[in-house]
Amino acid sequence: MPEVLLIKTSSMGDVIHNLPVATDILAKFPNASIDWVVEESFSEIPVMHPGVKNVIPVAIRRWRKHLLEKKTRSEFSIFRERISEKRYDIVLDTQGLLKSAALAKFAHGAICGYDADSAREPLACLFYDRKLQVGRDLHAVTRNRLLAAKCMGYSLEDLPLDYGIAMQIEKMPERAIFLHATSRDDKLWPEERWVELGRKLEMQIHLPWGSARERERSERLSGLIPGSVVPDRLGLRNAAELISGAAIAVGVD
């Protein structure tokens, strides 16, 4: 039974893009045991995959703001204990960054990652025991899957793309979700366009949010779109269920 540790810490989209790797590995090695290192704020995502046994949260984003604090040292010590609890057959870093490669070094096992021409940060390959070439022009999902396949010696030819998410979904054909938030202001869609679309759709519009600023935008839009709803702040799993159950989801990022 191969013991596999996946290193894909952030951001949200990158973590989601890595889910098919777990599905592929289990399709080829049904008895594999898969653990996953991920940023604490995205830890709900790998939990949604029934094939991921243990999720090991890390808090690089938070720790680097408080490097000298006792709490940071204590939490990092706990992380080191968890990641080194057992020996892995494969430690697979699909992130290809210096930070992810450095985290992989705390695990016990052979580290596999991209070679210098394939990694997003070429110096990361200095931490790897096996360095594999994967085209940088490929989609992120394909890159992740190919790296795992090359590392573990299987082909993707007979493997359909499957994110493996297991959720109980209540279908709501009269519901539309507007995902107006984005990582940069220059990617925002004008609010008047959201209002125009919301008024044209004869559906109940839900306007989820994740920050105080996004909540303010949701409330502004809701005030101009009749019958729309601003839900309470949702965890990632609840947000995924809300989106999956909707008839329409509109986003910008």
Side-chain angles (χ1 to χ4, degrees):
M1 179 178 73
E3 297 275 357
V4 181
L5 178 64
L6 302 180
I7 310 285
K8 179 71 88 170
T9 61
S10 61
S11 290
M12 184 187 300
D14 294 323
V15 176
I16 292 171
H17 286 163
N18 206 51
L19 288 169
V21 170
T23 306
D24 292 345
I25 292 172
L26 289 167
K28 292 297 185 178
F29 304 94
N31 294 322
S33 177
I34 300 175
D35 296 345
W36 190 320
V37 174
V38 63
E39 271 285 339
E40 59 181 3
S41 55
F42 306 121
S43 61
E44 290 183 75
I45 296 173
V47 170
M48 296 180 200
H49 196 300
V52 176
K53 185 175 181 180
N54 296 303
V55 173
I56 303 173
V58 68
I60 298 297
R61 293 182 172 187
R62 181 165 54 82
W63 291 341
R64 65 189 177 193
K65 298 177 183 178
H66 309 282
L67 287 176
L68 301 180
E69 292 186 7
K70 182 178 179 181
K71 181 181 178 182
T72 299
R73 296 195 301 272
S74 175
E75 290 180 350
F76 184 69
S77 178
I78 292 171
F79 164 75
R80 288 190 61 177
E81 289 178 8
R82 285 207 62 191
I83 198 174
S84 60
E85 281 178 353
K86 60 183 177 182
R87 175 162 290 279
Y88 293 99
D89 298 296
I90 297 290
V91 178
L92 181 62
D93 177 18
T94 58
Q95 193 107 25
L97 300 178
L98 278 169
K99 69 174 183 180
S100 57
L103 292 174
K105 289 295 288 185
F106 290 110
H108 297 310
I111 305 173
C112 186
Y114 299 106
D115 67 12
D117 292 328
S118 308
R120 290 165 60 188
E121 294 181 357
L123 289 177
C125 73
L126 297 176
F127 291 83
Y128 303 146
D129 299 299
R130 294 182 61 197
K131 309 169 183 65
L132 298 168
Q133 192 279 327
V134 178
R136 296 191 63 170
D137 58 337
L138 299 173
H139 189 281
V141 174
T142 304
R143 276 171 52 84
N144 295 338
R145 298 180 73 201
L146 275 175
L147 179 64
K150 288 187 174 186
C151 181
M152 299 189 68
Y154 58 81
S155 171
L156 294 178
E157 289 185 6
D158 59 340
L159 292 176
L161 176 61
D162 184 356
Y163 287 79
I165 296 176
M167 293 187 297
Q168 295 293 325
I169 305 300
E170 179 185 1
K171 292 296 183 181
M172 302 291 288
E174 75 285 358
R175 177 187 295 168
I177 310 298
F178 281 6
L179 303 169
H180 55 78
T182 183
S183 57
R184 301 198 314 266
D185 285 351
D186 62 345
K187 297 166 72 175
L188 289 170
W189 204 32
E191 292 186 20
E192 59 269 23
R193 298 291 181 85
W194 288 111
V195 173
E196 180 183 0
L197 179 60
R199 289 175 174 174
K200 286 183 177 180
L201 292 174
E202 296 182 357
M203 308 175 75
Q204 185 183 67
I205 309 299
H206 284 242
L207 298 155
W209 53 276
S211 68
R213 187 179 181 191
E214 291 167 9
R215 181 175 184 174
E216 291 173 359
R217 189 184 306 119
S218 287
E219 290 174 343
R220 285 197 303 273
L221 294 173
S222 181
L224 297 170
I225 302 174
S228 58
V229 175
V230 178
D232 293 335
R233 184 169 186 169
L234 302 172
L236 289 178
R237 185 179 185 88
N238 290 336
E241 291 173 348
L242 179 71
I243 295 168
S244 297
I248 297 174
V250 183
V252 294
D253 194 0

